[in-house]
Amino acid sequence: MDSRMYAAQAAGKQATPWRLLALLMAMTGLGPATLNILVPALPGLVTRLASDTGTVQLMLSLYLISLATAQLLFGPLSDRFGRRPVVLAGLALNASASIAAMTTSSIGALIATRVVQAIGASAGIVIGRSIIRDLFERDRAAAMIGLVTTAMVIAPMISPLVGGILDTAFGWETIFLAIAVFSGSVLFWAALALPETRPASIAQAPGRLIEEWRALIGSAKFHGYVLCGALGSAPFFTFLGGGPHVVVTLMGRSSAEYGFWFAVASLGYMSGNFTASRLSQRAGIDAMIIAGIVLELIGSSMTAVLVATLPEAGPAIISCRSSSSPTATACSCPTRSPARLACARRPRAQPLA
């Protein structure tokens, strides 16, 4: 593995290592893709699995909880055992859970496989960023993380449309087949091309994680940024959980149409990320946060007016609201944040210039 690592570093010495970044994008995009691809099929699963809306939506809420919690586990594990073996194990876990989900016939078993899916998918999200911090200086790492984050923008935009088409044409089982093929492909790619980047000194410092947590917990600015990001993201994930029921069940639209409107809404997230990347250094973090909050308020006000005056507009109303939310979130969470303060002190492997 040393030869692979040396080759990766040598190849990217003067230029951006696009092959490695493409792999990291695929690893990172697996989590949001696995989350969102099933969303259009949720209303149909209520009938097919003889369940209720609240129980079926646990496949989203428990997925998100598991995705977030598992990242706290995979970070220290990758420090202890290395980036490569941990991320390969996570990808294999996601692929295995996806195959198991295809054979389930009860809502309880399907929810359990979704939890396992989330645990496996979280490895790519957290370790992808760790690999970037291992290889790049802090300033360049911020730019590289911004590029990799593009996958977390594109995946939620495309996956509901794909999921809606698969559900409408072939049934919900093919959605899990698609996830299994995707995660299996990324696993094979990572097994061939992913270098081990963990600096040796990290494995010899078990107390470093506690020190970094203390630095974050003690930072008032960190708490402020977390609240901005969390409150800005909450409406989007509310739409993610309730949108299928409203659009498919109450409005009588198809799951494929819901996937289309979700893709339209996700364009707001893309525009917000682009705007934030262009203006954050020029305008400053605080100004971008204020702009994000203003956009959030505008989107909420527009939705209230549209619901009151044009209720027949259908999914377009929800699309308008959810477009403004991701834009505001992206603007209020620029790349340089106090969450990186502790990470900046981590030792690195030989950087890619």
Short mmCIF file of all heavy atoms in Angstrom, two decimals, residues 36-44 159-165 167 175 244 248 254-256 258-259:
data_model
loop_
_atom_site.label_atom_id
_atom_site.label_comp_id
_atom_site.label_asym_id
_atom_site.label_seq_id
_atom_site.Cartn_x
_atom_site.Cartn_y
_atom_site.Cartn_z
N ASN A 36 -31.93 9.26 -0.29
CA ASN A 36 -32.96 9.91 -1.09
C ASN A 36 -33.57 9.05 -2.17
O ASN A 36 -34.69 9.33 -2.61
CB ASN A 36 -32.37 11.18 -1.73
CG ASN A 36 -32.07 12.26 -0.72
OD1 ASN A 36 -32.96 12.98 -0.29
ND2 ASN A 36 -30.82 12.38 -0.33
N ILE A 37 -32.88 8.03 -2.61
CA ILE A 37 -33.39 7.25 -3.74
C ILE A 37 -34.68 6.51 -3.38
O ILE A 37 -35.52 6.23 -4.24
CB ILE A 37 -32.32 6.26 -4.24
CG1 ILE A 37 -32.71 5.70 -5.61
CG2 ILE A 37 -32.10 5.14 -3.23
CD1 ILE A 37 -31.60 4.88 -6.26
N LEU A 38 -34.87 6.21 -2.09
CA LEU A 38 -36.06 5.47 -1.68
C LEU A 38 -37.26 6.38 -1.41
O LEU A 38 -38.40 5.90 -1.33
CB LEU A 38 -35.75 4.66 -0.42
CG LEU A 38 -36.80 3.67 0.06
CD1 LEU A 38 -37.05 2.59 -0.98
CD2 LEU A 38 -36.41 3.05 1.40
N VAL A 39 -37.03 7.68 -1.29
CA VAL A 39 -38.08 8.59 -0.87
C VAL A 39 -39.33 8.53 -1.75
O VAL A 39 -40.45 8.47 -1.23
CB VAL A 39 -37.52 10.04 -0.79
CG1 VAL A 39 -38.65 11.04 -0.63
CG2 VAL A 39 -36.53 10.17 0.35
N PRO A 40 -39.22 8.53 -3.08
CA PRO A 40 -40.46 8.50 -3.89
C PRO A 40 -41.29 7.24 -3.70
O PRO A 40 -42.49 7.26 -3.99
CB PRO A 40 -39.92 8.60 -5.33
CG PRO A 40 -38.56 9.19 -5.22
CD PRO A 40 -38.02 8.66 -3.93
N ALA A 41 -40.67 6.15 -3.25
CA ALA A 41 -41.40 4.89 -3.11
C ALA A 41 -42.09 4.74 -1.76
O ALA A 41 -42.85 3.78 -1.55
CB ALA A 41 -40.44 3.71 -3.32
N LEU A 42 -41.86 5.66 -0.83
CA LEU A 42 -42.40 5.50 0.52
C LEU A 42 -43.93 5.41 0.57
O LEU A 42 -44.47 4.55 1.27
CB LEU A 42 -41.90 6.65 1.42
CG LEU A 42 -40.40 6.67 1.72
CD1 LEU A 42 -40.08 7.82 2.66
CD2 LEU A 42 -39.92 5.35 2.30
N PRO A 43 -44.67 6.27 -0.14
CA PRO A 43 -46.13 6.13 -0.07
C PRO A 43 -46.62 4.77 -0.55
O PRO A 43 -47.56 4.20 0.01
CB PRO A 43 -46.63 7.26 -0.99
CG PRO A 43 -45.53 8.27 -0.98
CD PRO A 43 -44.27 7.45 -0.91
N GLY A 44 -46.00 4.23 -1.60
CA GLY A 44 -46.40 2.92 -2.09
C GLY A 44 -46.07 1.80 -1.13
O GLY A 44 -46.80 0.79 -1.06
N SER A 159 -30.92 11.19 -7.28
CA SER A 159 -31.39 9.89 -6.78
C SER A 159 -32.91 9.79 -6.62
O SER A 159 -33.47 8.73 -6.93
CB SER A 159 -30.68 9.55 -5.46
OG SER A 159 -30.82 10.57 -4.50
N PRO A 160 -33.63 10.82 -6.16
CA PRO A 160 -35.10 10.66 -6.10
C PRO A 160 -35.73 10.48 -7.47
O PRO A 160 -36.71 9.73 -7.61
CB PRO A 160 -35.57 11.96 -5.43
CG PRO A 160 -34.39 12.46 -4.70
CD PRO A 160 -33.22 12.10 -5.54
N LEU A 161 -35.18 11.15 -8.48
CA LEU A 161 -35.70 10.98 -9.83
C LEU A 161 -35.47 9.54 -10.31
O LEU A 161 -36.37 8.90 -10.87
CB LEU A 161 -35.01 11.97 -10.77
CG LEU A 161 -35.45 11.94 -12.24
CD1 LEU A 161 -36.94 12.20 -12.36
CD2 LEU A 161 -34.65 12.94 -13.05
N VAL A 162 -34.26 9.02 -10.06
CA VAL A 162 -33.96 7.64 -10.43
C VAL A 162 -34.85 6.67 -9.65
O VAL A 162 -35.42 5.72 -10.21
CB VAL A 162 -32.47 7.32 -10.18
CG1 VAL A 162 -32.18 5.85 -10.41
CG2 VAL A 162 -31.58 8.18 -11.07
N GLY A 163 -34.98 6.93 -8.33
CA GLY A 163 -35.81 6.06 -7.51
C GLY A 163 -37.27 6.07 -7.94
O GLY A 163 -37.93 5.03 -7.95
N GLY A 164 -37.78 7.24 -8.30
CA GLY A 164 -39.17 7.33 -8.75
C GLY A 164 -39.40 6.56 -10.04
O GLY A 164 -40.42 5.88 -10.20
N ILE A 165 -38.45 6.66 -10.97
CA ILE A 165 -38.58 5.93 -12.24
C ILE A 165 -38.52 4.42 -12.00
O ILE A 165 -39.33 3.65 -12.54
CB ILE A 165 -37.48 6.37 -13.22
CG1 ILE A 165 -37.70 7.84 -13.62
CG2 ILE A 165 -37.47 5.48 -14.45
CD1 ILE A 165 -36.59 8.42 -14.46
N ASP A 167 -39.20 2.77 -9.22
CA ASP A 167 -40.38 2.31 -8.49
C ASP A 167 -41.61 2.23 -9.40
O ASP A 167 -42.37 1.26 -9.35
CB ASP A 167 -40.65 3.27 -7.33
CG ASP A 167 -41.91 2.91 -6.56
OD1 ASP A 167 -42.02 1.74 -6.12
OD2 ASP A 167 -42.78 3.77 -6.40
N ILE A 175 -34.95 -0.54 -6.53
CA ILE A 175 -34.23 0.59 -5.92
C ILE A 175 -33.05 0.06 -5.10
O ILE A 175 -31.93 0.57 -5.18
CB ILE A 175 -35.18 1.42 -5.05
CG1 ILE A 175 -36.23 2.11 -5.92
CG2 ILE A 175 -34.40 2.44 -4.22
CD1 ILE A 175 -37.25 2.91 -5.14
N PRO A 244 -43.10 13.10 0.13
CA PRO A 244 -43.72 12.00 -0.61
C PRO A 244 -45.19 11.78 -0.24
O PRO A 244 -46.02 11.52 -1.12
CB PRO A 244 -42.86 10.79 -0.20
CG PRO A 244 -41.56 11.38 0.21
CD PRO A 244 -41.90 12.70 0.83
N VAL A 248 -47.54 12.49 -3.34
CA VAL A 248 -48.06 11.26 -3.92
C VAL A 248 -49.44 10.90 -3.37
O VAL A 248 -50.37 10.61 -4.13
CB VAL A 248 -47.07 10.09 -3.70
CG1 VAL A 248 -47.64 8.78 -4.25
CG2 VAL A 248 -45.73 10.40 -4.35
N SER A 254 -47.57 10.89 -9.25
CA SER A 254 -46.77 9.66 -9.28
C SER A 254 -45.46 9.87 -8.54
O SER A 254 -45.01 11.01 -8.33
CB SER A 254 -46.49 9.25 -10.72
OG SER A 254 -45.62 10.18 -11.34
N SER A 255 -44.84 8.75 -8.16
CA SER A 255 -43.53 8.84 -7.48
C SER A 255 -42.48 9.40 -8.42
O SER A 255 -41.54 10.08 -7.98
CB SER A 255 -43.12 7.46 -6.97
OG SER A 255 -43.09 6.51 -8.01
N ALA A 256 -42.61 9.13 -9.72
CA ALA A 256 -41.66 9.70 -10.68
C ALA A 256 -41.78 11.22 -10.74
O ALA A 256 -40.77 11.93 -10.83
CB ALA A 256 -41.90 9.09 -12.07
N TYR A 258 -42.79 13.13 -8.27
CA TYR A 258 -42.18 13.64 -7.05
C TYR A 258 -40.66 13.73 -7.20
O TYR A 258 -40.04 14.70 -6.79
CB TYR A 258 -42.51 12.75 -5.86
CG TYR A 258 -41.67 13.08 -4.64
CD1 TYR A 258 -41.97 14.18 -3.85
CD2 TYR A 258 -40.55 12.32 -4.33
CE1 TYR A 258 -41.18 14.51 -2.77
CE2 TYR A 258 -39.75 12.64 -3.24
CZ TYR A 258 -40.07 13.74 -2.46
OH TYR A 258 -39.28 14.06 -1.40
N GLY A 259 -40.06 12.68 -7.81
CA GLY A 259 -38.62 12.71 -8.03
C GLY A 259 -38.20 13.88 -8.88
O GLY A 259 -37.16 14.50 -8.64
#
